[in-house]
Every structure is written in C-alpha cells, then in structure tokens.
Amino acid sequence: MLNEQMYQYGNKSSVIRELFAYGLERKKIVGEEKVYDFSIGNPSIPAPTEIKQAILELLEEPAEVLHGYSPAAGDPQVRGVLADSVNRKFGTHYTADNFYMTVGAAASLSISIKALANPGDEFIVFAPFFPEYAVWVETAGAKLLVTPADTESFQIDFDALERILGPKTKGVIINSPNNPSGAVYSEATVRRLSELLERKEKEYGTSIFLLSDEPYREIVYDGLVVPFVPNYYHNTLVCYSYSKSLSMPGERIGYIIVPDEADDSLYVRAAVAGAGRALGYVCAPVLFQKVIARCTDVSGDISAYKNNRDLLYGGLTKLGFECVYPQGAFYLFVKAPEADARAFSERAKKHDVLVVPSDSFGCSGYVRISYCVSEKTIRDAMPIFAEIMKG
Ligand code: PLP
C-alpha cells in the first residue's frame, strides 16, 4: 500500500498548475498569441544582469568548491553576508547562526512548520491564502484554521482572528505583499497583530510563532514600505525567497531567519535544522548560495509590473469589474461578475483567457489574475475581458 495522503496530493495537481498546463496545450493548437494566460506567478521580468555576472565569475572558482556540499544550514560565509545585509536594511543584529538556507519559500515554510508542529497543534492562515500552506500544515500533523477574509481592505479581520486563536495555536502564517490579493499589510496591521499575539501568549502561557512568508517583500508600488515583521513581534520566523524579487524561481534559493528574540531560539534553530534534515532540505544549491551573497544589494526593476498593474486595474475597473487595488506582488484579485468564480473562470477559458478561481485560496467569488505577463498580453486581452463582462 502507498501512503494515501501523498497519493492524493500527487494525483491531483493544483488548479493553478492545471490551468497553466491547459494553456500550454491550447497554445499549441491556436498559437501562443491567442492564449491569454494569467494563471501562474512566473516572474516575467528578467533576472538582473548582476546575477548572470555573478554566475560567470563563480564558474571560475575551483569545481570542488563550487559543486561541493556546504554545511546543511548553508555556507556560513554566505549566511554571514546575508545577515549583514538584512542588518543594514532593517536595523537588526543577526549573525550567520540566525540563518538557514533553503530551496525557496516553499522549503522555508514547510521546514518552519515541521520544526514547530506537534500533533493537534493549530496553524492559522488568512483567506485568501497560498493553497500550499494546507499541504505543509497537514503533512506536519497539524491542523489548518482559516480566518475569513476582510473583503473591504484585505488586511486582517482581528475579531475573526481573536475568535479562533486559542491555547492550541502554534503558528500564524502571514504573507505580505500577498498572493493572491496584492494587499500589503500596513504598519498598523502588523503592530495590532503583534499586540494581539503577545496578549494571547500571556493569556495561554504559550509561544505563538508568526511565520512571515515574504517572497514578494521587495515587490511593492507607490513608495510603500513593507514593515519588517521581526522588528514588531519577537516570535517571528522569516520565510524568504529570491524566486520573485530577483526573478529566479527555477534556482530554488531562499532562507529562514530565526531571531535570537524568539522564545527558546536555540531550540527552534535546532528544530529548523532537524526539520530540514527530516525533509531532505539540506545544503541548498551552493552555486546559488554564492550568487545571492554577491548580489545582496541588487534589486529587480519592477517598473514593468507597476505598468501592468496600472494597465490591468485601470482597464478592468473601467469595464465594470470590481478589483482589489494591489499595492504589491503581481496579482490582481477580481470579483467574479457571477456568484460562482469557477463558472466565471470556465467561461473566460472558452475565450482563451486563463484566470484562477479563488476557491482554492479559501475565499470564494473572486478570480486571481497574474500580471507578470507581457504588456501586449494585457492590451490584447482587454477587448476579450469586455466581451466576457457582457456575458
Ligand atoms: N509563498 C507564496 C505566497 C508564493 O506565492 C509562492 C510561490 O508562488 C511561494 C510561497 C513559494 O515560493 P518559492 O518558489 O520560492 O518556493
């Protein structure tokens, strides 16, 4: 007998992946230009040239250094460089020891959850949320609790959160800038969340960890500043990735920060190392550890995303669609003009417009439009959206 749970996860891919695969097949039939694929969050701007330069320079290093193992947590020198960079940006005082290198945010999250969870523990997420959280929480033997969306602001509904926070709450997962809503948590939201969690920790005599999923940290518009969560809440674990910020999702590189301020931080760090070991996530790709260490001050040019955001938001709202105004990431969360978002997505699909129904994000009635596409795709799709809107 196989493991039934694993079989189920493997046998049914996510709605996003299904739509993306459909799009690839459809393009073969009707042509690339005729399919408006807004399904997946694959960065459309190229990785900064400094990345290529760093790779080329590193290729000159001795092969046994470049292609050899690093320690399980990552190259200590690389982790030191990252710590210095984060300290400069956010006024923290981390060292290499606070960092664990990972293969992207997916590993950062799954390791952190596995490191913390005991059977029966609860992890709270906020709808709409990245669907893989459910997989990582369930496979760690814990229970996922969903805080309903605040569909006015897409910040946190604190009353709803307070109702489900309890003595079994081990972790709370936030993702700002957010996939799929594009919302960015304000400083007031982060402050209020911290105060609530601290109050609940005291009330229950427990540690409640805040897992801050930050692959879009640098993708914000209009001069907005994303609060650095550990500066507000002591029990924060930062789950970072370079997949989106430096357009290198295929290279699978990111990190976890366990600050000294976290309760029992030495134990948590050891548990993170243990979870990495248990999941087989040791020694993240060494070439790319070294690449990012050389590129700590490099940032992607996100002006194309901003341009797409303005074009799509402006165009769709003009057509009568109700959209959340996205302040970050590269997703537009649009209210489906009919109650059933799946039916709307199917209807759009008939026009070769691929948008993801929101149900798998734990929030019904919306579709997610990934605007990490070419400007031409958005311009060409606009008359089709007009047609779809007419019904
Ligand atoms: N978390 C969120 C919110 C995401 O949107 C993604 C990827 O789309 C991930 C985590 C996983 O990122 P990575 O590719 O770095 O594993």
Side-chain angles (χ1 to χ4, degrees), residues 175-198:
N175 166 226
S176 164
N178 186 263
N179 172 12
S181 73
V184 177
Y185 284 173
S186 66
E187 189 182 13
T189 294
V190 175
R191 221 178 259 291
R192 198 168 159 195
L193 177 61
S194 311
E195 284 162 10
L196 175 60
L197 296 183
E198 267 167 25

PDB file of all heavy atoms in Angstrom, residues 175-198:
ATOM      1  N   ASN A 175       1.364  36.585   4.819  1.00  0.00           N
ATOM      2  CA  ASN A 175       2.049  36.726   3.528  1.00  0.00           C
ATOM      3  C   ASN A 175       1.729  38.115   2.987  1.00  0.00           C
ATOM      4  O   ASN A 175       0.645  38.365   2.494  1.00  0.00           O
ATOM      5  CB  ASN A 175       1.536  35.616   2.580  1.00  0.00           C
ATOM      6  CG  ASN A 175       1.920  35.858   1.142  1.00  0.00           C
ATOM      7  OD1 ASN A 175       1.080  35.731   0.244  1.00  0.00           O
ATOM      8  ND2 ASN A 175       3.154  36.203   0.892  1.00  0.00           N
ATOM      9  N   SER A 176       2.698  39.008   3.148  1.00  0.00           N
ATOM     10  CA  SER A 176       2.522  40.383   2.712  1.00  0.00           C
ATOM     11  C   SER A 176       3.832  40.860   2.102  1.00  0.00           C
ATOM     12  O   SER A 176       4.880  40.700   2.753  1.00  0.00           O
ATOM     13  CB  SER A 176       2.146  41.249   3.917  1.00  0.00           C
ATOM     14  OG  SER A 176       2.313  42.623   3.626  1.00  0.00           O
ATOM     15  N   PRO A 177       3.787  41.387   0.866  1.00  0.00           N
ATOM     16  CA  PRO A 177       2.690  41.522  -0.080  1.00  0.00           C
ATOM     17  C   PRO A 177       2.080  40.157  -0.403  1.00  0.00           C
ATOM     18  O   PRO A 177       2.781  39.159  -0.411  1.00  0.00           O
ATOM     19  CB  PRO A 177       3.366  42.116  -1.312  1.00  0.00           C
ATOM     20  CG  PRO A 177       4.615  42.791  -0.800  1.00  0.00           C
ATOM     21  CD  PRO A 177       5.052  41.970   0.351  1.00  0.00           C
ATOM     22  N   ASN A 178       0.785  40.199  -0.656  1.00  0.00           N
ATOM     23  CA  ASN A 178       0.016  38.971  -0.651  1.00  0.00           C
ATOM     24  C   ASN A 178      -0.253  38.380  -2.031  1.00  0.00           C
ATOM     25  O   ASN A 178      -0.598  39.081  -2.975  1.00  0.00           O
ATOM     26  CB  ASN A 178      -1.331  39.247   0.049  1.00  0.00           C
ATOM     27  CG  ASN A 178      -2.159  37.999   0.237  1.00  0.00           C
ATOM     28  OD1 ASN A 178      -3.041  37.709  -0.559  1.00  0.00           O
ATOM     29  ND2 ASN A 178      -1.865  37.243   1.276  1.00  0.00           N
ATOM     30  N   ASN A 179      -0.096  37.089  -2.082  1.00  0.00           N
ATOM     31  CA  ASN A 179      -0.601  36.283  -3.178  1.00  0.00           C
ATOM     32  C   ASN A 179      -1.834  35.577  -2.618  1.00  0.00           C
ATOM     33  O   ASN A 179      -1.690  34.830  -1.650  1.00  0.00           O
ATOM     34  CB  ASN A 179       0.463  35.240  -3.585  1.00  0.00           C
ATOM     35  CG  ASN A 179      -0.064  34.235  -4.587  1.00  0.00           C
ATOM     36  OD1 ASN A 179      -1.128  34.405  -5.150  1.00  0.00           O
ATOM     37  ND2 ASN A 179       0.699  33.173  -4.805  1.00  0.00           N
ATOM     38  N   PRO A 180      -3.026  35.817  -3.090  1.00  0.00           N
ATOM     39  CA  PRO A 180      -3.394  36.377  -4.391  1.00  0.00           C
ATOM     40  C   PRO A 180      -3.946  37.803  -4.381  1.00  0.00           C
ATOM     41  O   PRO A 180      -4.264  38.316  -5.444  1.00  0.00           O
ATOM     42  CB  PRO A 180      -4.542  35.449  -4.803  1.00  0.00           C
ATOM     43  CG  PRO A 180      -5.253  35.203  -3.502  1.00  0.00           C
ATOM     44  CD  PRO A 180      -4.162  35.151  -2.453  1.00  0.00           C
ATOM     45  N   SER A 181      -4.081  38.475  -3.231  1.00  0.00           N
ATOM     46  CA  SER A 181      -4.857  39.731  -3.243  1.00  0.00           C
ATOM     47  C   SER A 181      -4.035  40.945  -3.661  1.00  0.00           C
ATOM     48  O   SER A 181      -4.592  41.973  -4.041  1.00  0.00           O
ATOM     49  CB  SER A 181      -5.476  39.986  -1.854  1.00  0.00           C
ATOM     50  OG  SER A 181      -4.474  40.384  -0.944  1.00  0.00           O
ATOM     51  N   GLY A 182      -2.703  40.854  -3.545  1.00  0.00           N
ATOM     52  CA  GLY A 182      -1.860  42.021  -3.837  1.00  0.00           C
ATOM     53  C   GLY A 182      -1.833  43.017  -2.690  1.00  0.00           C
ATOM     54  O   GLY A 182      -1.169  44.052  -2.767  1.00  0.00           O
ATOM     55  N   ALA A 183      -2.553  42.708  -1.595  1.00  0.00           N
ATOM     56  CA  ALA A 183      -2.573  43.627  -0.444  1.00  0.00           C
ATOM     57  C   ALA A 183      -1.228  43.595   0.282  1.00  0.00           C
ATOM     58  O   ALA A 183      -0.532  42.579   0.283  1.00  0.00           O
ATOM     59  CB  ALA A 183      -3.682  43.215   0.523  1.00  0.00           C
ATOM     60  N   VAL A 184      -0.897  44.743   0.877  1.00  0.00           N
ATOM     61  CA  VAL A 184       0.319  44.833   1.701  1.00  0.00           C
ATOM     62  C   VAL A 184      -0.139  45.223   3.107  1.00  0.00           C
ATOM     63  O   VAL A 184      -0.891  46.189   3.267  1.00  0.00           O
ATOM     64  CB  VAL A 184       1.286  45.904   1.144  1.00  0.00           C
ATOM     65  CG1 VAL A 184       2.518  46.048   2.046  1.00  0.00           C
ATOM     66  CG2 VAL A 184       1.714  45.557  -0.282  1.00  0.00           C
ATOM     67  N   TYR A 185       0.290  44.475   4.104  1.00  0.00           N
ATOM     68  CA  TYR A 185      -0.114  44.805   5.473  1.00  0.00           C
ATOM     69  C   TYR A 185       0.545  46.116   5.903  1.00  0.00           C
ATOM     70  O   TYR A 185       1.759  46.296   5.772  1.00  0.00           O
ATOM     71  CB  TYR A 185       0.291  43.693   6.449  1.00  0.00           C
ATOM     72  CG  TYR A 185      -0.586  42.460   6.389  1.00  0.00           C
ATOM     73  CD1 TYR A 185      -0.263  41.317   7.110  1.00  0.00           C
ATOM     74  CD2 TYR A 185      -1.758  42.429   5.631  1.00  0.00           C
ATOM     75  CE1 TYR A 185      -1.062  40.173   7.068  1.00  0.00           C
ATOM     76  CE2 TYR A 185      -2.557  41.299   5.583  1.00  0.00           C
ATOM     77  CZ  TYR A 185      -2.200  40.178   6.298  1.00  0.00           C
ATOM     78  OH  TYR A 185      -2.992  39.066   6.251  1.00  0.00           O
ATOM     79  N   SER A 186      -0.288  46.995   6.431  1.00  0.00           N
ATOM     80  CA  SER A 186       0.217  48.281   6.904  1.00  0.00           C
ATOM     81  C   SER A 186       0.959  48.079   8.227  1.00  0.00           C
ATOM     82  O   SER A 186       0.824  47.032   8.877  1.00  0.00           O
ATOM     83  CB  SER A 186      -0.961  49.235   7.137  1.00  0.00           C
ATOM     84  OG  SER A 186      -1.740  48.731   8.199  1.00  0.00           O
ATOM     85  N   GLU A 187       1.693  49.117   8.625  1.00  0.00           N
ATOM     86  CA  GLU A 187       2.383  49.029   9.912  1.00  0.00           C
ATOM     87  C   GLU A 187       1.360  48.862  11.036  1.00  0.00           C
ATOM     88  O   GLU A 187       1.586  48.107  11.989  1.00  0.00           O
ATOM     89  CB  GLU A 187       3.243  50.273  10.141  1.00  0.00           C
ATOM     90  CG  GLU A 187       4.132  50.102  11.346  1.00  0.00           C
ATOM     91  CD  GLU A 187       4.970  51.325  11.661  1.00  0.00           C
ATOM     92  OE1 GLU A 187       4.725  52.403  11.113  1.00  0.00           O
ATOM     93  OE2 GLU A 187       5.882  51.172  12.503  1.00  0.00           O
ATOM     94  N   ALA A 188       0.213  49.545  10.899  1.00  0.00           N
ATOM     95  CA  ALA A 188      -0.815  49.445  11.940  1.00  0.00           C
ATOM     96  C   ALA A 188      -1.304  48.003  12.064  1.00  0.00           C
ATOM     97  O   ALA A 188      -1.530  47.487  13.174  1.00  0.00           O
ATOM     98  CB  ALA A 188      -1.980  50.379  11.607  1.00  0.00           C
ATOM     99  N   THR A 189      -1.463  47.331  10.940  1.00  0.00           N
ATOM    100  CA  THR A 189      -1.915  45.930  10.967  1.00  0.00           C
ATOM    101  C   THR A 189      -0.882  45.045  11.664  1.00  0.00           C
ATOM    102  O   THR A 189      -1.229  44.224  12.530  1.00  0.00           O
ATOM    103  CB  THR A 189      -2.161  45.418   9.530  1.00  0.00           C
ATOM    104  OG1 THR A 189      -3.259  46.137   8.985  1.00  0.00           O
ATOM    105  CG2 THR A 189      -2.470  43.935   9.499  1.00  0.00           C
ATOM    106  N   VAL A 190       0.385  45.226  11.294  1.00  0.00           N
ATOM    107  CA  VAL A 190       1.441  44.380  11.876  1.00  0.00           C
ATOM    108  C   VAL A 190       1.550  44.640  13.384  1.00  0.00           C
ATOM    109  O   VAL A 190       1.674  43.720  14.192  1.00  0.00           O
ATOM    110  CB  VAL A 190       2.796  44.632  11.165  1.00  0.00           C
ATOM    111  CG1 VAL A 190       3.925  43.860  11.842  1.00  0.00           C
ATOM    112  CG2 VAL A 190       2.704  44.241   9.694  1.00  0.00           C
ATOM    113  N   ARG A 191       1.439  45.910  13.753  1.00  0.00           N
ATOM    114  CA  ARG A 191       1.519  46.282  15.173  1.00  0.00           C
ATOM    115  C   ARG A 191       0.361  45.653  15.964  1.00  0.00           C
ATOM    116  O   ARG A 191       0.561  45.051  17.015  1.00  0.00           O
ATOM    117  CB  ARG A 191       1.421  47.807  15.284  1.00  0.00           C
ATOM    118  CG  ARG A 191       2.353  48.399  16.276  1.00  0.00           C
ATOM    119  CD  ARG A 191       2.223  49.910  16.293  1.00  0.00           C
ATOM    120  NE  ARG A 191       3.280  50.568  15.569  1.00  0.00           N
ATOM    121  CZ  ARG A 191       4.551  50.603  15.959  1.00  0.00           C
ATOM    122  NH1 ARG A 191       4.918  49.999  17.073  1.00  0.00           N
ATOM    123  NH2 ARG A 191       5.463  51.224  15.254  1.00  0.00           N
ATOM    124  N   ARG A 192      -0.831  45.756  15.388  1.00  0.00           N
ATOM    125  CA  ARG A 192      -2.012  45.237  16.090  1.00  0.00           C
ATOM    126  C   ARG A 192      -1.937  43.711  16.209  1.00  0.00           C
ATOM    127  O   ARG A 192      -2.311  43.136  17.232  1.00  0.00           O
ATOM    128  CB  ARG A 192      -3.268  45.671  15.308  1.00  0.00           C
ATOM    129  CG  ARG A 192      -4.503  45.578  16.116  1.00  0.00           C
ATOM    130  CD  ARG A 192      -5.665  46.261  15.454  1.00  0.00           C
ATOM    131  NE  ARG A 192      -6.887  45.718  16.028  1.00  0.00           N
ATOM    132  CZ  ARG A 192      -8.072  45.858  15.528  1.00  0.00           C
ATOM    133  NH1 ARG A 192      -8.248  46.559  14.418  1.00  0.00           N
ATOM    134  NH2 ARG A 192      -9.131  45.321  16.102  1.00  0.00           N
ATOM    135  N   LEU A 193      -1.450  43.078  15.142  1.00  0.00           N
ATOM    136  CA  LEU A 193      -1.302  41.618  15.164  1.00  0.00           C
ATOM    137  C   LEU A 193      -0.312  41.226  16.259  1.00  0.00           C
ATOM    138  O   LEU A 193      -0.566  40.301  17.045  1.00  0.00           O
ATOM    139  CB  LEU A 193      -0.808  41.137  13.788  1.00  0.00           C
ATOM    140  CG  LEU A 193      -0.526  39.640  13.656  1.00  0.00           C
ATOM    141  CD1 LEU A 193      -1.790  38.822  13.910  1.00  0.00           C
ATOM    142  CD2 LEU A 193       0.027  39.323  12.264  1.00  0.00           C
ATOM    143  N   SER A 194       0.803  41.949  16.330  1.00  0.00           N
ATOM    144  CA  SER A 194       1.818  41.645  17.343  1.00  0.00           C
ATOM    145  C   SER A 194       1.244  41.784  18.750  1.00  0.00           C
ATOM    146  O   SER A 194       1.459  40.920  19.614  1.00  0.00           O
ATOM    147  CB  SER A 194       3.005  42.599  17.218  1.00  0.00           C
ATOM    148  OG  SER A 194       3.416  42.666  15.896  1.00  0.00           O
ATOM    149  N   GLU A 195       0.495  42.863  18.948  1.00  0.00           N
ATOM    150  CA  GLU A 195      -0.080  43.092  20.288  1.00  0.00           C
ATOM    151  C   GLU A 195      -1.046  41.966  20.672  1.00  0.00           C
ATOM    152  O   GLU A 195      -1.043  41.472  21.790  1.00  0.00           O
ATOM    153  CB  GLU A 195      -0.795  44.448  20.333  1.00  0.00           C
ATOM    154  CG  GLU A 195       0.192  45.611  20.428  1.00  0.00           C
ATOM    155  CD  GLU A 195      -0.414  46.964  20.038  1.00  0.00           C
ATOM    156  OE1 GLU A 195      -1.660  47.051  19.874  1.00  0.00           O
ATOM    157  OE2 GLU A 195       0.379  47.911  19.884  1.00  0.00           O
ATOM    158  N   LEU A 196      -1.849  41.573  19.687  1.00  0.00           N
ATOM    159  CA  LEU A 196      -2.827  40.511  19.955  1.00  0.00           C
ATOM    160  C   LEU A 196      -2.105  39.201  20.290  1.00  0.00           C
ATOM    161  O   LEU A 196      -2.460  38.513  21.264  1.00  0.00           O
ATOM    162  CB  LEU A 196      -3.747  40.326  18.737  1.00  0.00           C
ATOM    163  CG  LEU A 196      -4.743  39.175  18.823  1.00  0.00           C
ATOM    164  CD1 LEU A 196      -5.687  39.346  20.009  1.00  0.00           C
ATOM    165  CD2 LEU A 196      -5.556  39.050  17.534  1.00  0.00           C
ATOM    166  N   LEU A 197      -1.088  38.868  19.489  1.00  0.00           N
ATOM    167  CA  LEU A 197      -0.383  37.592  19.729  1.00  0.00           C
ATOM    168  C   LEU A 197       0.327  37.615  21.077  1.00  0.00           C
ATOM    169  O   LEU A 197       0.316  36.621  21.816  1.00  0.00           O
ATOM    170  CB  LEU A 197       0.603  37.294  18.588  1.00  0.00           C
ATOM    171  CG  LEU A 197      -0.019  37.081  17.201  1.00  0.00           C
ATOM    172  CD1 LEU A 197       1.047  36.720  16.178  1.00  0.00           C
ATOM    173  CD2 LEU A 197      -1.103  36.010  17.219  1.00  0.00           C
ATOM    174  N   GLU A 198       0.926  38.756  21.418  1.00  0.00           N
ATOM    175  CA  GLU A 198       1.610  38.846  22.716  1.00  0.00           C
ATOM    176  C   GLU A 198       0.611  38.672  23.866  1.00  0.00           C
ATOM    177  O   GLU A 198       0.869  37.962  24.839  1.00  0.00           O
ATOM    178  CB  GLU A 198       2.307  40.198  22.849  1.00  0.00           C
ATOM    179  CG  GLU A 198       3.746  40.124  22.392  1.00  0.00           C
ATOM    180  CD  GLU A 198       4.389  41.482  22.199  1.00  0.00           C
ATOM    181  OE1 GLU A 198       3.939  42.459  22.843  1.00  0.00           O
ATOM    182  OE2 GLU A 198       5.330  41.568  21.396  1.00  0.00           O
TER     183      GLU A 198
END
